[in-house]
Amino acid sequence: MTNSTTLAVAQLGPINSGESRESVVSRLCALLQGAADAGANIVTFPELALTTFFPRTWVEEQEDIDQFFESSMPSPATQPLFDLAQQLNISFYLGYAELTEDGRRFNTSILVNGEGRIVGKYRKIHLPGHSDRKDAPFQHLEKRYFEIGDLGFPVFTDRGRRISMCLCNDRRWPETFRVASLNGAELMLLGYNTPVHNIHWQEPEHLRMFHHRLSLQAAAYQNSLWICAAGKAGEEDGSVLIGGSCIVSPAGEIVAQTTSTGDELIFAIADFDLGEHFRRNIFNFAAHRRPEFYGAITDPRPGRVTDADVE
Amino acid sequence: MTNSTTLAVAQLGPINSGESRESVVSRLCALLQGAADAGANIVTFPELALTTFFPRTWVEEQEDIDQFFESSMPSPATQPLFDLAQQLNISFYLGYAELTEDGRRFNTSILVNGEGRIVGKYRKIHLPGHSDRKDAPFQHLEKRYFEIGDLGFPVFTDRGRRISMCLCNDRRWPETFRVASLNGAELMLLGYNTPVHNIHWQEPEHLRMFHHRLSLQAAAYQNSLWICAAGKAGEEDGSVLIGGSCIVSPAGEIVAQTTSTGDELIFAIADFDLGEHFRRNIFNFAAHRRPEFYGAITDPRPGRVTDADVE
């Protein structure tokens, strides 16, 4: 296989409140080292990989929530991860809560190259959940704590690959992967935090893992993409996360997946010629797509019969 | 379950060249009767359900290909199916090759209601394959024999359900289901003819059935749709078709599937409240979609790096 890149996904077990950034970063560094030892070129870490998944908790005061945000990147606490990437010449994707200089807050991921330099940034567009439901045992307050991302779905080149990024709920929306693919992506990296329980209704629990995989597999197949998906797993501050981190090929098949609910590495030697079969034939966009009939997708006020309700 | 409709899918075994329309229609009538006997309200038949899948064959002369087209619907040969639908008060979806009065040719499906009246028409938009590859053992000449459909993805109401239609390759394109869903669909009916072999490259054969199911299941989940998918199956004029007809719930789960490669009926008592859980929460389009970032999807000349090649 001459056209390959070795991909790693680094799942994280829980990060409970009170665990220091330094402790978390030392876990990330151990995983990065393990990935490099196995010959990996690119490592994907989860969404909000430096703290607990704090959007599950209602916090009244802004200053109490800002402890979960990073006002610089790298920061003193995360610098060792950047230094290690440079030392090992390995690239990584990392999700974190971003506080900008002008006081805006985003659910963000970055792509850091083998020189320890940030070469790409993404800010989450599909924020899930609701804005206020104080009576629930767990909440999903991303719409309260974050602004909608403002960077679109850009594509960055690293290791000779055209790489796009997204975060968690973005993966359920086919538009995410389609736009990235139209922008030239051949590899999608994503982190997520998915609770076992659906807060919205009494959904059968097996559907959570099924929908996670279904969305990734269909997106990989329909867009000729390699996908690396890294989750947090296990019981975090009393809420159980699904785990199930995986690597999906452009054929839509899961080629590697985690088996635990803790810190764990998985790998795939990814053949990037595989995507070309799909990209040139059944999903040859120039030959087969019919954008003239897709207008409803970009209509800002679509005529869907049932909507509203949430928020 | 108070908000239910009983859905049936009628898979067809092969229709070899030389089998008369009358013979095929009698098979369709037997399936329609069986569906009615089991209490079904709506029956889905395959794509090009009156003839062999003729786009696999290169035919030089237009008059030789026109034998596979219907210049009226109902026609004398298909009238018994319409009459039986009226007698049984059952609706059906039927795929056929349409020749219009002004000489245009489409890969078409119709929705016929319980009064035997055509209440909806769809013309296939995503025509797959190539336009000329005479040296191949089997071909896929839909682009040669059909024009691109000109009706969009409309939604029709029958039995109190908002119903959309598509055909075969349409199901691999997430835009199909998204546009239908934005137009208000809660039920998608589709017929298909999918050969076991991918003519484009040496694809592992198990992927054909996997991609069929993956596309349907993701589309159902991501658009809160019930989906009925009816294929032809078995060896038809020397080409083997995959079968695998199925009914998929809005949770993305296959709730009924065929077990044979012949004429076969499957059923589901479909709870249309199930889709509402998804439609109102995780896939609440008004709350969560971000059309302002989807512009590439409707761009008529997207900047995808690798395209062209086919045709």
Side-chain angles (χ1 to χ4, degrees):
Chain A
M1 226 186 303
T2 56
N3 189 22
S4 68
T5 296
T6 300
L7 306 173
V9 162
Q11 178 174 281
L12 288 173
I15 302 174
N16 288 295
S17 294
E19 181 170 351
S20 68
R21 292 286 199 288
E22 290 68 21
S23 168
V24 174
V25 170
S26 75
R27 289 166 62 186
L28 299 178
C29 285
L31 289 161
L32 196 73
Q33 181 70 58
D37 291 346
N41 308 115
I42 304 173
V43 183
T44 302
F45 291 111
E47 176 192 41
L48 299 177
L50 299 172
T51 66
T52 188
F53 184 73
F54 62 86
R56 74 168 70 86
T57 309
W58 179 273
V59 176
E60 199 65 43
E61 299 299 327
Q62 190 64 53
E63 64 187 282
D64 294 329
I65 206 71
D66 279 347
Q67 63 174 305
F68 300 110
F69 283 75
E70 314 301 317
S71 56
S72 66
M73 186 59 66
S75 57
T78 53
Q79 187 66 51
L81 185 65
F82 285 69
D83 293 343
L84 185 60
Q86 181 177 23
Q87 180 191 320
L88 300 171
N89 185 22
I90 189 167
S91 303
F92 68 89
Y93 161 111
L94 179 75
Y96 67 98
E98 177 189 14
L99 176 58
T100 69
E101 284 187 23
D102 57 349
R104 303 174 70 191
R105 292 168 184 81
F106 297 100
N107 189 342
T108 294
S109 65
I110 49 173
L111 178 64
V112 176
N113 73 4
E115 299 170 359
R117 199 159 44 79
I118 296 173
V119 292
K121 179 180 279 192
Y122 169 74
R123 290 168 170 164
K124 187 171 180 177
I125 285 174
H126 296 98
L127 298 175
H130 48 88
S131 54
D132 181 354
R133 197 174 287 183
K134 293 192 206 178
D135 54 334
F138 291 109
Q139 315 206 32
H140 206 125
L141 299 169
E142 290 191 53
K143 288 184 195 291
R144 172 173 165 82
Y145 296 132
F146 301 115
E147 288 182 50
I148 292 164
D150 59 353
L151 302 176
F153 298 100
V155 175
F156 307 96
T157 298
D158 185 42
R159 310 270 162 183
R161 304 301 174 198
R162 299 187 301 277
I163 302 172
S164 193
M165 297 186 276
C166 67
L167 283 157
C168 198
N169 184 49
D170 285 321
R171 74 197 188 285
R172 303 184 194 274
W173 299 85
E175 291 89 347
T176 299
F177 300 91
R178 185 61 104 215
V179 171
S181 181
L182 287 164
N183 286 342
E186 54 184 348
L187 170 61
M188 176 67 85
L189 312 180
L190 73 97
Y192 61 96
N193 286 272
T194 299
V196 166
H197 299 281
N198 186 328
I199 59 166
H200 295 301
W201 65 291
Q202 293 298 315
E203 186 180 65
E205 288 191 11
H206 72 279
L207 290 178
R208 299 295 271 173
M209 185 64 85
F210 171 61
H211 291 157
H212 159 65
R213 291 173 173 155
L214 177 63
S215 297
L216 294 176
Q217 293 182 267
Y221 167 58
Q222 294 174 334
N223 296 286
S224 315
L225 293 170
W226 282 94
I227 299 180
C228 292
K232 266 197 267 136
E235 186 174 337
E236 183 181 82
D237 287 334
S239 168
V240 180
L241 301 166
I242 62 168
S245 304
C246 57
I247 301 173
V248 185
S249 85
E253 295 189 295
I254 294 173
V255 297
Q257 60 184 342
T258 54
T259 59
S260 77
T261 55
D263 292 8
E264 181 180 348
L265 281 166
I266 54 174
F267 302 92
I269 301 172
D271 172 12
F272 277 75
D273 287 337
L274 179 60
E276 289 303 307
H277 293 296
F278 299 97
R279 200 175 277 117
R280 288 177 183 276
N281 295 297
I282 200 155
F283 292 114
N284 181 318
F285 285 178
H288 302 313
R289 292 185 81 246
R290 301 289 168 227
E292 65 271 29
F293 294 109
Y294 304 158
I297 293 174
T298 48
D299 185 336
R301 296 189 57 82
R304 178 141 162 177
V305 173
T306 307
D307 40 31
D309 183 63
V310 164
E311 295 206 318
Chain B
M1 225 188 303
T2 56
N3 189 21
S4 69
T5 296
T6 300
L7 306 172
V9 162
Q11 177 174 282
L12 287 173
I15 302 174
N16 289 295
S17 294
E19 182 170 352
S20 69
R21 292 287 199 289
E22 289 68 21
S23 168
V24 174
V25 170
S26 75
R27 289 165 63 186
L28 299 178
C29 285
L31 289 161
L32 197 72
Q33 181 69 58
D37 291 347
N41 308 115
I42 304 172
V43 183
T44 301
F45 291 112
E47 176 193 41
L48 299 178
L50 299 172
T51 65
T52 189
F53 185 71
F54 63 86
R56 75 168 68 87
T57 309
W58 179 274
V59 176
E60 199 65 43
E61 299 298 327
Q62 190 63 55
E63 65 187 283
D64 293 330
I65 206 72
D66 279 348
Q67 63 173 306
F68 299 110
F69 282 75
E70 314 300 318
S71 56
S72 67
M73 186 58 66
S75 57
T78 54
Q79 187 65 51
L81 185 66
F82 285 69
D83 293 343
L84 185 60
Q86 180 177 22
Q87 179 191 321
L88 300 171
N89 186 20
I90 190 167
S91 302
F92 69 88
Y93 161 111
L94 180 74
Y96 66 99
E98 177 189 14
L99 174 59
T100 70
E101 283 188 25
D102 57 348
R104 303 173 71 191
R105 292 170 185 80
F106 296 100
N107 189 342
T108 294
S109 66
I110 49 173
L111 178 63
V112 176
N113 73 3
E115 299 170 359
R117 200 158 45 79
I118 296 172
V119 292
K121 179 180 279 192
Y122 169 74
R123 289 168 170 163
K124 187 172 181 177
I125 285 175
H126 296 97
L127 298 175
H130 49 89
S131 54
D132 182 352
R133 197 174 287 183
K134 291 193 205 176
D135 53 333
F138 292 110
Q139 315 206 34
H140 206 126
L141 299 169
E142 290 191 54
K143 288 185 195 292
R144 172 172 165 83
Y145 296 132
F146 300 115
E147 287 181 50
I148 293 165
D150 58 353
L151 302 175
F153 298 100
V155 174
F156 307 97
T157 298
D158 185 42
R159 311 268 162 184
R161 304 301 174 199
R162 298 186 302 275
I163 302 172
S164 193
M165 297 186 275
C166 66
L167 283 157
C168 198
N169 184 50
D170 285 322
R171 74 196 188 286
R172 303 185 194 272
W173 299 84
E175 291 90 347
T176 298
F177 300 90
R178 185 62 103 216
V179 172
S181 181
L182 287 164
N183 287 343
E186 54 185 347
L187 170 62
M188 176 66 86
L189 311 179
L190 74 97
Y192 62 95
N193 285 272
T194 299
V196 166
H197 301 281
N198 186 329
I199 60 166
H200 295 300
W201 65 291
Q202 294 298 315
E203 186 180 66
E205 287 191 13
H206 73 279
L207 290 178
R208 299 295 271 173
M209 185 65 84
F210 170 61
H211 291 157
H212 158 66
R213 291 174 174 153
L214 177 63
S215 297
L216 294 176
Q217 292 182 268
Y221 167 58
Q222 293 174 334
N223 296 286
S224 315
L225 293 170
W226 282 94
I227 299 180
C228 293
K232 265 196 269 142
E235 185 174 337
E236 183 181 82
D237 288 335
S239 167
V240 180
L241 300 167
I242 62 167
S245 304
C246 58
I247 301 173
V248 185
S249 85
E253 294 189 296
I254 294 174
V255 298
Q257 60 183 342
T258 54
T259 59
S260 77
T261 55
D263 292 9
E264 182 179 349
L265 281 166
I266 54 173
F267 303 92
I269 300 173
D271 172 11
F272 278 76
D273 287 338
L274 180 59
E276 289 303 307
H277 294 296
F278 298 97
R279 199 175 278 118
R280 289 177 182 276
N281 295 298
I282 199 155
F283 292 114
N284 181 319
F285 285 179
H288 303 312
R289 291 185 82 245
R290 301 291 169 225
E292 64 271 30
F293 293 109
Y294 304 158
I297 293 174
T298 47
D299 185 335
R301 296 189 57 81
R304 178 143 162 175
V305 172
T306 306
D307 40 31
D309 184 62
V310 162
E311 296 207 315

